[in-house]
C-alpha cells in the first residue's frame, strides 16, 4: 500500500506499513484559499492505533540504536535526497493545504532537506568526553545515549520544517519516533513521511499517526513507553502536555507562542527597518511564532516610519499563494481567520487606531483572506499588545528612549524573538543584555532562524530547552558516565 489510496485517503505509517485506522474514520484537510477544495482525508486514529505505533517503535528502536551513527546518517542522507527530488510537489501541497505562498513553501522544504543533511552528518560527530579519573588506572568517560521512543507533536504553520527539525535529531541519536501532525497540514506531513518510507527506514523507527490532538496527542503525552515528547504549538496545549508528561516522569520540550517586538531607533536605516517590519510581521500571513507583532518606534523617526510602512503595506497583494503575484496568502484555518477578526475588533474597542486594513478580503471561493492590518497608538495594556494574534496584524507603539523601548518590549509574558534596528553600539549592547528573548536579532527581522543554531524562547514561549543545531542533542539523548577499569 502507498501513502494514499485512490480516494485521496492518506494513511497512517506504522511499523513500516501504510495502514487505515481501526476507527475506519477520517478527518478532512481542506484548502484555506478555497475551503470547498479537499486536499485529502487523513486517519482519525484511535488509542489502539497509537498502541500499535508505540509497540512498533519500541521494537524498532532496539535495532536502530545498534546501528552506527554513520549508518543512521546514511539513511537520513537518502531521505534528504528523496525530499529534494519532491520539493515541487510537497511545496505545492503545503501552499494548497495551509496557504503559505509557494516561494515560502519551497524555501521551507529546502530547509527540511538541509536539516536532514545537517543531522545526517551529526552521526559522525563525538558523543562524549573523557574525564580524568582520580584513579590513574581507570578510564572515565561520558557517552550520550538515546532516550527510546520520542513522541513528536507539531503545528500546521511549518508542516515540513518543524517535524523534521524534531525527527532528524531524534533519529540520528538512536531514537524511534511517532509523529502526530496537525490535521490542518497532515497531507503535507504524510508526503514527508513517504520520503522516509522510500529511503528504506527500518520497520518501526519512523511512525506516523494522524488524528485528534485530544486523542493521539494526549495519548502520546500519557503513554508510559513514550520516553519523551517534543511539542510545538500553542501555550494552552503545550502547558497541558508538559504537565501530563511530567506527571508520569517523562521528558518534555515545549516551543510555544510569541509576541515579538521589533524596536526601531531614531538612528536606524529607515528603509531596512520598514522592510523588516513588513517581512517579519506579515509574511506567512503573520503565522510564524517569530513574527514581529509589536513595532516599537522612537518618537524622532515615528512619523516617517509610519508613513513609509503604510505606503509599502498598501502595495501588498493578497492571493492564494500559488499565483506569482500573491505576496500574502490566506489565514490557514477558519478558526485562525475568525480569531484575527476578533482581535481586530478588540483592538478598536480598546482604543487603538486602525490605520490600515482590518477587513476580510472578499473573494468568490470563500477563502480566509484578511487585509494586512496596522494599528497605531497601541499601548502595552491593550490585548493586542499582549496576546499572540497569529495573523497579519502590526501594532505600532511610540517611545521616547531606547531604555523605554526595551522595557516595553519585555512587558509581555512571551520571550521568543526580538530585534532592534539601530546603528548605535550602546543601544545595541544594552538590547543584547536586557532583552528577554531567546532569539536576539540586530538590524534583521524577528523571524528567521538558522538550522545550525540553537532555537527557542524564554518566559512563556518555551520550556527553556533548545531545538536545532547541536543544542538538540541535550533533549534527544541522555548521558551515561562510564568508569572503566581493567
Ligand atoms: P495547537 O496547540 O492547537 O496544536 C499543536 C499540536 O498539538 C497539533 O498537532 C494538535 O493536534 C495537538 N494537540 C491539540 N490538542 C492537544 C491535546 N489536548 N493534547 C495533545 N496534543 C494536542 O497549535 P497550532 O494552532 O497548530 O499552532 C499555532 C501555535 O504554534 C501558535 O501559538 C504558534 O506560536 C506556535 N508555534 C510555536 C513555534 C515555536 O517554535 N515556538 C513554532 C511554530 C508555531
Amino acid at each position: 500500500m502507498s501513502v494514499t489510496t485512490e480516494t485521496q485517503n492518506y494513511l497512517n505509517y506504522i511499523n513500516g506499513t501504510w495502514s487505515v485506522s481501526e476507527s475506519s474514520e477520517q478527518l478532512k484537510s481542506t484548502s484555506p484559499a478555497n475551503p470547498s477544495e479537499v486536499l485529502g482525508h487523513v486517519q482519525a486514529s484511535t488509542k489502539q492505533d497509537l498502541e500499535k505505533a508505540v509497540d512498533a517503535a519500541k521494537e524498532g528502536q532496539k535495532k536502530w540504536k545498534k546501528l552506527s551513527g554513520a549508518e543512521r546518517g546514511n539513511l537520513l542522507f537518502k531521505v534528504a535526497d528523496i525530499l529534494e527530488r519532491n520539493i515541487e510537489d510537497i511545496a505545492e501541497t503545503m501552499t494548497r493545504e495551509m496557504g503559505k505562498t509557494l516561494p515560502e513553501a519551497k524555501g521551507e522544504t529546502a530547509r527540511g532537506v538541509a536539516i536532514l543533511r545537517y543531522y545526517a552528518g551529526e552521526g559522525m560527530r563525538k558523543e562524549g568526553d573523557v574525564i580524568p579519573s582520580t584513579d590513574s588506572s581507570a578510564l572515565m568517560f561520558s557517552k550520550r545515549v538515546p532516550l527510546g521512543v520520542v513522541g513528536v507533536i507539531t503545528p500546521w504553520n511549518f508542516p515540513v520544517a518543524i517535524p523534521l527539525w524534531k525527527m532528524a535529531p531524534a533519529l540520528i541519536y538512536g531514537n524511534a519516533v511517532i509523529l502526530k501532525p496537525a490535521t490542518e497540514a497532515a497531507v503535507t506531513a504524510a508526503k514527508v513521511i513517504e520520503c522516509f518510507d522510500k529511503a528504506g527506514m527500518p520497520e518501526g523507527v519512523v511512525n506516523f499517526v494522524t488524528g485528534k490532538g485530544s486523542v493521539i496527542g494526549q495519548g502520546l503525552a500519557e503513554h508510559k513507553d513514550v520516553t519523551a515528547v517534543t511539542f510545538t504549538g500553542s501555550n494552552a496545549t503545550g502547558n497541558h502536555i508538559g504537565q501530563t508528561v511530567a506527571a508520569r516522569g517523562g521528558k518534555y520540550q515545549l516551543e510555544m507562542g510569541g509576541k515579538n517586538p521589533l524596536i526601531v531607533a531614531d538612528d536606524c536605516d529607515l528603509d531596512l527597518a520598514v522592510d523588516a517590519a513588513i517581512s517579519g510581521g506579515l509574511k506567512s500571513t503573520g503565522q510564524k511564532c517569530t513574527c514581529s507583532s509589536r513595532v516599537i518606534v522612537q518618537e524622532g523617526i515615528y512619523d516617517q516610519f509610519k508613513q513609509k510602512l503604510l505606503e509599502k503595506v498598501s502595495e501588498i497583494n493578497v492571493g492564494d499563494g500559488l499565483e506569482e503575484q500573491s505576496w500574502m496568502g490566506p489565514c490557514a484555518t477558519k478558526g485562525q481567520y475568525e480569531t484575527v477578526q476578533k482581535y481586530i475588533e478588540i483592538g478598536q474597542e480598546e482604543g487603538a487606531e486602525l490605520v490600515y486594513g482590518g477587513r476580510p478580503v472578499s473573494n468568490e471561493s470563500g477563502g480566509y483572506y484578511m487585509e494586512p492590518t496596522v494599528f497605531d497608538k497601541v499601548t502595552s495594556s491593550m490585548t493586542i499588545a499582549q496576546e499572540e494574534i497569529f495573523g497579519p496584524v502590526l501594532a505600532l507603539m511610540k517611545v521616547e528612549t531606547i531604555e523605554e523601548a526595551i522595557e516595553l518590549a519585555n512587558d509581555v509574558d512571551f520571550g521568543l524573538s526580538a530585534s532592534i534596528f539601530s546603528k548605535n553600539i550602546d543601544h545595541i549592547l544594552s538590547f543584547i543584555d536586557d532583552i528577554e528573548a531567546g532569539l536576539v536579532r540586530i538590524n534583521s527581522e524577528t523571524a528567521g532562524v538558522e538550522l545550525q543554531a540553537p532555537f527557542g524562547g524564554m518566559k512563556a514561549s518555551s520550556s527553556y530547552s533548545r531545538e536545532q543545531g547541536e543544542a538538540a542533542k541535550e533533549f534527544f539523548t541522555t548521558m551515561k558516565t562510564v568508569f572503566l577499569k581493567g
Side-chain angles (χ1 to χ4, degrees), residues 271-327:
D271 289 321
L272 275 188
V274 168
D275 287 348
I278 291 174
S279 169
L282 304 174
K283 272 262 169 211
S284 285
T285 323
Q287 299 172 132
K288 293 182 192 170
C289 54
T290 50
C291 261
S292 327
S293 57
R294 294 175 298 147
V295 185
I296 303 172
V297 188
Q298 234 184 323
E299 58 185 4
I301 205 171
Y302 194 89
D303 292 338
Q304 263 176 294
F305 178 87
K306 184 172 126 187
Q307 191 194 340
K308 279 208 167 194
L309 180 89
L310 294 179
E311 269 166 33
K312 288 215 163 176
V313 169
S314 71
E315 290 163 12
I316 289 176
N317 277 321
V318 179
D320 69 4
L322 290 170
E323 301 148 1
E324 223 170 280
Q325 69 272 23
S326 49
W327 188 91

Side-chain angles (χ1 to χ4, degrees), residues 152-158 162 165-166 180-184 211-221 231-238 240-241 244 254-258 287-290 333 336 388 390 414 416 455-457 461-462 467-468:
V152 176
I153 305 176
T154 55
W156 44 261
N157 68 335
F158 284 93
I162 293 180
W165 83 47
K166 293 173 182 296
K180 184 254 166 288
T183 303
E184 297 87 347
K212 289 194 174 148
S214 55
V215 179
I216 304 305
Q218 178 73 18
L220 282 168
F231 167 86
T232 297
S234 64
N235 281 66
T237 309
H240 170 71
I241 290 176
T244 308
L254 313 172
E255 287 304 334
M256 301 174 286
Q287 299 172 132
K288 293 182 192 170
C289 54
T290 50
T333 66
Q336 205 53 49
E388 184 183 51
F390 227 52
F414 299 104
L416 188 51
F455 174 79
S461 292
S462 157
E467 300 195 275
Q468 306 197 55

Side-chain angles (χ1 to χ4, degrees), residues 75-213:
L75 272 158
L76 291 193
F77 277 124
K78 269 195 186 174
V79 182
D81 292 345
I82 296 168
L83 182 64
E84 194 168 44
R85 287 201 291 277
N86 288 284
I87 280 188
E88 297 292 328
D89 174 51
I90 291 178
E92 192 181 321
T93 306
M94 190 191 309
T95 297
R96 287 187 189 282
E97 193 174 28
M98 54 71 67
K100 184 175 292 196
T101 64
L102 195 55
E104 287 179 277
K106 281 186 191 165
E108 181 185 335
T109 313
R111 166 179 285 244
V113 173
I115 290 167
L116 284 160
R117 291 191 176 136
Y118 174 87
Y119 284 108
E122 187 66 13
M124 296 286 274
R125 296 191 193 107
K126 73 169 188 152
E127 54 183 23
D129 293 304
V130 173
I131 302 139
S133 167
T134 50
D135 181 340
S136 59
S137 64
L139 171 65
M140 187 162 70
F141 59 94
S142 64
K143 183 176 160 56
R144 291 274 176 182
V145 295
L147 299 169
V149 176
V150 175
V152 176
I153 305 176
T154 55
W156 44 261
N157 68 335
F158 284 93
V160 171
I162 293 180
L164 286 177
W165 83 47
K166 293 173 182 296
M167 290 169 65
L171 291 168
I172 198 66
Y173 300 126
N175 302 286
V177 300
I178 301 169
L179 170 64
K180 184 254 166 288
T183 303
E184 297 87 347
V187 169
T188 308
K191 291 190 172 190
V192 173
I193 298 300
E194 196 178 17
C195 300
F196 284 90
D197 181 35
K198 288 190 171 150
M201 287 302 279
E203 284 173 10
V205 175
V206 169
N207 303 277
F208 175 71
V209 183
T210 55
K212 289 194 174 148

Side-chain angles (χ1 to χ4, degrees), residues 340-360:
V340 172
Q341 293 176 57
K342 184 195 81 186
Y343 276 114
I344 291 171
E345 248 176 71
I346 295 175
Q348 289 173 291
E349 278 163 21
E350 292 184 359
E353 188 183 330
L354 182 65
V355 286
Y356 194 86
R359 289 164 309 184

Side-chain angles (χ1 to χ4, degrees), residues 359-373:
R359 289 164 309 184
V361 178
S362 69
N363 63 101
E364 282 174 5
S365 50
Y368 308 137
Y369 296 104
M370 283 302 298
E371 290 176 333
T373 298

